[in-house]
Amino acid sequence: MPAIQKFVVTPNLPEPLKPLLEIAGNIWWSWNVEAISLLRRIDPDLWDKHAGNPIAVLGSLSAQRVSDLAKDAAFLAHMERVRNDLDRYLNISSWYEKEHGPDHQEVLGYFSLEFGLHESLPLYSGGLGILAGDHLKSASDLGLPLVGVGLAYQYGYFRQYLNHDGWQMEDYQINDFYNMSMDLVRDQENAPLTIEITYPGRTVTAQIWRVPVGRNPLFLLDTNLPKNLPEDRDLTSRLYGGDNDMRIRQEILLGIGGLRALVALGMEPTVCHLNEGHSAFLALERIAMLMEKKELAFDTAFEIVRASNVFTTHTPVPAGNDHFHADLVRTYLPRMAERLGLGVDGLLALGRQDPTNKHETFCMTVLALRLSRFANGVSELHGHVSRKMWQQVWKGVPEEEIPISYVTNGVHTRSWLCSEIARLFDRYLGPRWFEEPTNKTMWDRVDQIPDAELWRSHERMRERLVGFVRRRLGHQLLARGANRVWVREASEVLDPEALTIGFARRFATYKRAALLLRDPARLSRILNDPDRPVQLIFAGKAHPKDHPGKEIIRQLVHLGQQPEFRKRITFVEDYNIEVARYMVQGVDVWLNTPRRPLEASGTSGMKVPANGGINLSILDGWWCEGYAKNNGWAIGAGEDYEDQEYQDEVESTALYDLLENEIVPTYYDRGSDDVPREWTRIMKNSMRTVNAEFNTNRMVEEYTNRFYVTCIQNAARLSADDYSRAKDLADWRRRTRDEWSQVKIRCVDDPVNTAQPMGETLKVTAHLHLGKIPSEEVLVEAYHGLLNAEGQIQDGETATLFPGETGTDGLTLFCGDIPCRRAGLRGYTVRVVPRKEGYPLDRFETGLITWWGVPDAGSCSKTSSHDHEPARTT
C-alpha cells in the first residue's frame, strides 16, 4: 500500500452561520429544546440520516443549502436566540459558586469506562454510561469544576440486529470522531497532545479528545495511532470487548492514563470520583506521583490520596465485579509496585478481601474500597446489599456499620423530557422550572395542569412512539428478509390509542424480560380484549456472550410472530438513547421485573414520570424509595425468595392480576371528554413524587455536599505545611498498627440492676489495657440492641464510653450510658477502635478493632465474664 498523508476537512460556513459550529460542538444542545429544533431545521432529512449528529449534518450540506440558510432571516434570528441562550448558560452564576464560593481552584475528576451523552456519540452500552453522561450534564448545570475521563472507542458497543430466527447478532460500526461533537486536544505547537503508558516491553501512546458538555469537558483517550502495535491500537477499539487480558490493559489506560492526561492538560484533580471499579488503578498512580514529586513515603501519600477519593459501586453481585488473576497483575503492574515500594505481593494485597490469602484473585472493587474515603451504592437497598457483599473487607465490623453508604441515582430530566410536556411545564410550573428540578414546591404545581391538557399532550407522544416503532419495525423486517406480508403489516402494528406498556433494558436473565410471557393464554386475553386492548413494546440488548439472554429475545420475537400477538407485541432492535427517548416519552406504563435484590438502581423508570408515564415494578432498586402507593404499582411487597421458579410463578400471577383488576380498568375508565381522570391523577402523583427526588441535580448536589467538599477539605488539610499532617497521620497509623496487639478489654462490670425501666439509662463500665496507646487515641463504644433468636445483636446502636482514671493495675476505666428506649430482650458488648482527633478517618478504615470477649480478654474478680445473662429491660 502506498504511503498516505492524512488531512482533515471541516465544515466551512460563511460568517453569518459560524455560530452553528459553536452550538453543534457543545453537547449542551442535546438537552435544549430550542437548540435541537434549530439544528434539525438545518436539514431535517440529513438530521435523520445522521442520527441527530449536527457536526455530520453541517459537513454534508450542499452549497445551495448553505447559501439559503445564510440569507434566511428567520433561521438566523432563531440561531441568535440559541447562541444567546448558550452564552447565558455558560456564564451565569452557578449553584456551586453560590454554595461554596466563586474562587475555587480545585478540579474534580470523574472517571468512567463509558459515557452516554447522546446517540450521536455511541460510547456507551447501557445504564452505567447513561448515568455517567447525566452526571456530567448536571455537574454542568450546577457549575461544578468537574471533568470527565473515559476512552474513545473506535467501534463503541455493538449494533444489534436479529437474524431470521430472532437470534441476536452483533455488528460493530466505526465511529468517525472527526464528524462528531468532539475535538482533538493539541499542544502549543498544534500537534496532538499525547500521554504514554508502559506495558510489558513497550510504551503505548494515547491522544486525547475533548467533548464539551455544557460548562464541563469530557476527555477521552485514544490509542488507535500508527505508532502503536496492533494489539495496543485495539485497546480503544471496543467497549467491553475481549478477555481479561484486554480488560486489565483498558483499565490501566483509563485509570493511570486518564490521570496522566489530566496532569498533561494542567488539570490535576484534587478529588477523584471512580464510577465503578474500572478506574481504580488511578489511586495507585496518584500515590506514585505524590511519592515522586513530593518525595513522600508511601504511607504519607496513601493518606492524602485515600482522603480525596470517592467510589461508587453499581454491581449487586460478586461476579459482576472485575477480578484478575495474580499472574495478570504480576505481568502488567510490576513497575507500579516498584514505584510504590510495595512489591507485587504488597500491591496484590490491596485488592484482596483477605490480604494474606495469596490464592484470592485481585478485585478492582476491593482496591477501590481500600483507596477511597467514601464509598456508596446507588440506592438504599443497594447500599444494604453492598455492605453485606463486601463485609469481609472490614472483618469484625457489624454489617450495618460497614462504611458503604448510598446515594440514589437520578436522571437528567431535560435530556429525557418530550417537548410537549416541556411546554406544559413552562406554562404551569414557570419558565425556569428546569433550573430548580429539586424544588418540591415547584413540582406540586403539576396539579394546576388541566387533566385534559396533560392527557392530550401524552396521547400525542404515544402516537409519535407508535409511528417510530412502525418505521423501525419495517426496516428491521426488510433487513431480516422477512415475509413481505409481515413487512406490509409493520405499518399497522400497535394501536395509537391502546394502553401501551414498555420494557427496555439489558437482557440479562435476572431482569426477567419474559416474566409477563409465562402464561401466553392469559396474556392474549389481556392484550386482545376488543374493548380494552393492551400492547407491549420491548427493546434491549444481551451481552454478546450471554446466550441465555439472547434466548429470551428469540423466544419473545417468536411469540410476537404468532397471529394473536403480531399487532400487540413488538421488539425494537438496537436499543440506544434514541429508542429509549421515544419509549420513555410515549409509553403509558413502564414495566420493570428484576429478581430482587439484583437491581442496583435502575434509572430507566425514573425517565418516565416526567413524561406522564407510570411505573409498574418489582420493589427493587430505586422503586423501593420511589413507590408511594398512589404514584404507580408495585409487584409484590418486596419479598425475597429462595425458590426462583416459585418466585416467578407468584410474581407473574401478581402482575397479571394488577393488569386485569387495576391498571387496564383505570386506563379505560373515561369521562365524557374521553379523559381518564383517575389515571391522570396517578400521572400527576408520579410527576410530583418522582421528578423532584430522582434527578441527577439532587444526586450531584448530594455527592458534592456529602463527599466532594469534604474530600477537598481533606486534601487541603493533609497537604498543608509541607504535608506535615499527612506525615503525622501516616506515622500514627503505623505506630497504632504496631502497638494494637496490646489493646485488651479485660473486663466489663455487671449492671447494678438486673432490670432497667424503659426511659432510663444503663451504666456500662469497661476496664481496658491500652499499653502505649494514649486513651485519647482510642474510641471505646458499647454496641447494643435487641437480640435475635440466635442471641446476636441486630440493628445495633452505639454509645460512647469515656475514659476515666488509670489504676495501679495499668487498666483504664471507660464509662458511659446506654439509653433504654425500647423494651425487650437486649444485649450489649464493648469494642475499641483507633481514632485520631481532627483527621479525616472513618472509625473502621484502619482495619483494627478489638471486641470484648476475645479468647485472651482475661477477667477481674469484681466483674463477670462476657457471656453472662443480659440485663432485662422493662
Side-chain angles (χ1 to χ4, degrees):
M1 180 179 289
I4 297 175
Q5 177 65 51
K6 295 182 179 179
F7 63 98
V8 178
V9 177
T10 59
N12 185 21
L13 299 178
E15 195 62 35
L17 297 179
K18 291 287 187 186
L20 287 177
L21 292 173
E22 178 188 359
I23 295 167
N26 192 318
I27 289 297
W28 166 87
W29 64 260
S30 70
W31 70 88
N32 184 282
V33 173
E34 278 299 307
I36 295 172
S37 174
L38 171 75
L39 296 172
R40 184 179 184 85
R41 185 175 174 180
I42 294 171
D43 190 309
D45 292 335
L46 284 177
W47 180 266
D48 292 338
K49 176 183 177 181
H50 292 294
N53 180 347
I55 299 296
V57 169
L58 292 174
S60 304
L61 288 176
S62 66
Q64 183 60 51
R65 182 57 180 161
V66 171
S67 176
D68 291 344
L69 289 173
K71 293 181 288 187
D72 187 336
F75 179 84
L76 294 176
H78 189 180
M79 180 187 68
E80 190 64 22
R81 289 197 306 272
V82 172
R83 183 174 69 169
N84 290 339
D85 198 9
L86 175 58
D87 289 343
R88 186 190 70 84
Y89 176 86
L90 295 177
N91 296 298
I92 194 172
S93 178
S94 71
W95 169 87
Y96 189 80
E97 290 176 343
K98 293 173 184 175
E99 291 289 319
H100 303 288
D103 301 320
H104 45 79
Q105 303 299 318
E106 63 272 4
V107 174
L108 311 174
Y110 184 88
F111 292 73
S112 182
L113 203 55
E114 53 174 303
F115 286 89
L117 294 163
H118 187 263
E119 60 266 26
S120 61
L121 284 171
L123 305 171
Y124 61 93
S125 72
L128 180 71
I130 302 300
L131 185 279
D134 281 8
H135 192 116
L136 259 61
K137 292 173 183 178
S138 279
S140 171
D141 289 345
L142 296 168
L144 268 69
L146 184 143
V147 298
V149 181
L151 303 183
Y153 301 103
Q154 194 69 72
Y155 293 93
Y157 202 50
F158 70 89
R159 302 290 300 272
Q160 177 198 53
Y161 70 96
L162 305 182
N163 66 14
H164 188 71
D165 188 43
W167 188 258
Q168 174 184 292
M169 308 295 288
E170 294 87 33
D171 180 39
Y172 290 87
Q173 298 183 9
I174 193 167
N175 286 324
D176 182 3
F177 298 148
Y178 292 95
N179 267 319
M180 294 179 175
S181 297
M182 52 198 293
D183 293 300
L184 198 58
V185 178
R186 298 183 178 275
D187 60 20
Q188 292 180 343
E189 283 73 41
N190 203 37
L193 182 66
T194 61
I195 53 99
E196 294 182 341
I197 310 96
T198 301
Y199 291 103
R202 65 199 188 276
T203 298
V204 176
T205 301
Q207 61 186 5
I208 307 167
W209 294 89
R210 182 181 187 271
V211 181
V213 185
R215 313 180 203 219
N216 301 72
L218 166 62
F219 296 108
L220 303 170
L221 301 184
D222 174 15
T223 62
N224 186 20
L225 302 174
K227 67 191 304 182
N228 290 330
L229 296 174
E231 60 265 32
D232 295 326
R233 297 183 70 169
D234 283 345
L235 271 175
T236 54
S237 175
R238 297 180 181 182
L239 173 60
Y240 303 132
D243 54 13
N244 260 11
D245 185 86
M246 171 65 83
R247 178 63 69 85
I248 195 171
R249 288 189 291 130
Q250 282 186 327
E251 295 185 359
I252 288 171
L253 175 64
L254 173 64
I256 298 176
L259 186 67
R260 291 179 183 177
L262 291 186
V263 172
L265 290 159
M267 305 177 75
E268 184 170 353
T270 312
V271 175
C272 289
H273 187 161
L274 292 65
N275 189 42
E276 231 355 321
H278 307 127
S279 59
F281 289 133
L282 74 85
L284 302 180
E285 178 68 8
R286 290 187 78 192
I287 293 172
M289 287 171 55
L290 269 176
M291 293 173 66
E292 292 160 357
K293 290 181 179 179
K294 304 298 181 180
E295 297 183 351
L296 300 177
F298 170 83
D299 289 347
T300 303
F302 171 93
E303 298 294 349
I304 298 164
V305 169
R306 187 185 186 282
S308 55
N309 279 345
V310 179
F311 167 54
T312 299
T313 175
H314 295 258
T315 310
V317 289
N321 296 268
D322 282 342
H323 291 259
F324 297 119
H325 193 277
D327 289 345
L328 276 177
V329 178
R330 294 183 190 281
T331 298
Y332 287 106
L333 294 166
R335 170 62 182 147
M336 176 61 72
E338 180 183 337
R339 291 171 66 200
L340 297 173
L342 295 177
V344 176
D345 287 338
L347 192 155
L348 282 166
L350 290 172
R352 289 168 168 160
Q353 294 194 61
D354 179 359
T356 64
N357 182 1
K358 295 188 177 181
H359 300 289
E360 187 180 329
T361 55
F362 182 89
C363 178
M364 295 296 283
T365 301
V366 174
L367 180 66
L369 289 170
R370 284 233 166 83
L371 295 177
S372 299
R373 174 63 181 86
F374 295 107
N376 68 279
V378 289
S379 70
E380 184 176 8
L381 179 60
H382 182 233
H384 170 75
V385 171
S386 298
R387 287 189 291 275
K388 184 174 184 178
M389 186 161 58
W390 301 111
Q391 190 171 5
Q392 290 307 305
V393 177
W394 293 270
K395 286 185 178 180
V397 178
E399 180 183 311
E400 64 269 17
E401 292 191 290
I402 297 297
I404 301 176
S405 62
Y406 75 93
V407 176
T408 302
N409 280 345
V411 298
H412 187 254
T413 306
R414 291 187 74 191
S415 293
W416 303 100
L417 187 66
C418 65
S419 56
E420 291 278 346
I421 302 296
R423 284 191 285 271
L424 284 184
F425 290 167
D426 288 343
R427 192 152 56 247
Y428 293 100
L429 274 60
R432 302 256 68 88
W433 63 267
F434 52 84
E435 294 180 355
E436 300 180 77
T438 62
N439 186 335
K440 295 181 180 180
T441 302
M442 179 198 69
W443 286 110
D444 286 341
R445 298 178 198 156
V446 298
D447 284 333
Q448 299 175 16
I449 304 175
D451 291 350
E453 202 168 346
L454 176 61
W455 182 246
R456 301 306 177 209
S457 295
H458 180 66
E459 283 192 311
R460 285 190 285 274
M461 298 314 299
R462 190 192 317 109
E463 292 169 1
R464 184 168 171 261
L465 168 63
V466 169
F468 171 78
V469 171
R470 286 173 173 175
R471 293 191 300 273
R472 190 102 170 185
L473 184 59
H475 293 316
Q476 291 174 198
L477 292 172
L478 279 172
R480 206 184 301 167
N483 186 306
R484 290 188 177 274
V485 175
W486 290 3
V487 175
R488 287 197 300 270
E489 287 180 351
S491 63
E492 300 176 0
V493 300
L494 305 179
D495 180 348
E497 297 183 357
L499 171 59
T500 304
I501 300 174
F503 181 102
R505 53 189 39 82
R506 185 163 53 91
F507 266 68
T509 52
Y510 80 86
K511 292 181 182 285
R512 298 190 297 177
L515 188 68
L516 185 57
L517 315 179
R518 280 180 66 89
D519 188 341
R522 189 173 181 184
L523 179 62
S524 178
R525 290 195 298 273
I526 295 171
L527 300 190
N528 293 301
D529 186 319
D531 298 318
R532 304 188 305 185
V534 180
Q535 55 201 12
L536 305 173
I537 302 175
F538 288 89
K541 298 177 179 179
H543 188 278
K545 297 179 181 179
D546 183 4
H547 291 281
K550 291 183 177 183
E551 179 60 26
I552 293 174
I553 294 175
R554 192 185 72 85
Q555 292 174 2
L556 194 157
V557 170
H558 277 235
L559 184 69
Q561 291 172 348
Q562 296 179 15
E564 66 269 34
F565 294 119
R566 194 168 295 159
K567 292 187 178 181
R568 293 284 179 240
I569 299 178
T570 61
F571 182 87
V572 181
E573 292 180 13
D574 199 27
Y575 184 47
N576 65 0
I577 290 178
E578 180 189 25
V579 175
R581 191 184 304 111
Y582 272 99
M583 289 187 66
V584 300
Q585 291 176 0
V587 299
D588 300 296
V589 173
W590 192 259
L591 178 63
N592 189 29
T593 52
R595 194 181 303 283
R596 176 186 163 101
L598 301 182
E599 185 82 284
S601 181
T603 56
S604 62
M606 300 176 188
K607 303 176 178 79
V608 176
N611 294 289
I614 303 172
N615 277 276
L616 165 62
S617 176
I618 298 290
L619 283 171
D620 196 9
W622 79 279
W623 192 232
C624 295
E625 302 164 56
Y627 177 56
K629 296 187 179 179
N630 64 351
N631 66 348
W633 294 275
I635 305 168
E639 302 92 347
D640 293 325
Y641 295 83
E642 293 186 5
D643 185 333
Q644 294 185 356
E645 180 65 24
Y646 176 66
Q647 178 182 10
D648 290 350
E649 181 64 30
V650 169
E651 293 180 341
S652 64
T653 300
L655 176 53
Y656 291 131
D657 288 344
L658 278 170
L659 287 169
E660 292 172 334
N661 301 322
E662 293 190 41
I663 298 172
V664 175
T666 303
Y667 179 86
Y668 283 103
D669 181 13
R670 307 294 175 91
S672 59
D673 56 357
D674 200 33
V675 174
R677 301 291 172 184
E678 178 61 17
W679 191 272
T680 55
R681 185 186 68 82
I682 300 172
M683 289 170 67
K684 291 180 179 180
N685 288 338
S686 178
M687 284 182 168
R688 181 171 49 250
T689 57
V690 173
N691 293 339
E693 186 65 26
F694 299 96
N695 64 77
T696 42
N697 277 46
R698 184 273 311 157
M699 183 190 80
V700 172
E701 286 180 15
E702 196 170 339
Y703 275 115
T704 302
N705 292 329
R706 288 177 54 191
F707 302 154
Y708 296 163
V709 171
T710 303
C711 284
I712 291 168
Q713 293 168 348
N714 290 346
R717 194 159 51 234
L718 293 176
S719 301
D721 300 325
D722 194 26
Y723 303 96
S724 61
R725 290 173 66 86
K727 294 172 184 176
D728 178 53
L729 183 57
D731 290 342
W732 169 83
R733 192 191 295 264
R734 185 167 48 250
R735 186 178 68 253
T736 302
R737 188 168 55 244
D738 292 342
E739 298 174 355
W740 191 255
S741 61
Q742 302 176 45
V743 175
K744 309 291 181 185
I745 304 172
R746 289 302 184 192
C747 49
V748 176
D749 291 351
D750 278 339
V752 175
N753 299 316
T754 58
Q756 298 292 322
M758 196 164 66
E760 299 289 330
T761 58
L762 176 70
K763 187 174 182 61
V764 178
T765 302
H767 303 256
L768 273 66
H769 180 271
L770 299 177
K772 296 180 180 179
I773 297 179
S775 59
E776 62 270 17
E777 292 188 359
V778 296
L779 173 63
V780 183
E781 296 175 312
Y783 181 74
H784 62 95
L786 289 169
L787 299 182
N788 60 22
E790 289 75 38
Q792 300 298 314
I793 296 171
Q794 60 183 14
D795 299 324
E797 302 176 71
T798 59
T800 302
L801 307 187
F802 298 96
E805 296 181 356
T806 301
T808 56
D809 56 1
L811 301 183
T812 303
L813 213 61
F814 283 80
C815 301
D817 296 310
I818 294 176
C820 299
R821 290 190 290 263
R822 293 180 59 190
L825 182 61
R826 305 180 67 85
Y828 70 87
T829 185
V830 176
R831 70 184 182 198
V832 191
V833 293
R835 76 166 169 185
K836 180 75 167 165
E837 197 67 42
Y839 284 80
L841 291 174
D842 177 88
R843 56 158 58 91
F844 302 120
E845 74 174 58
T846 62
L848 302 173
I849 183 170
T850 296
W851 290 91
W852 177 34
V854 293
D856 59 348
S859 62
C860 51
S861 58
K862 59 185 176 182
T863 63
S864 66
S865 64
H866 65 274
D867 57 353
H868 65 279
E869 178 69 20
R872 183 176 300 279
T873 61
T874 60

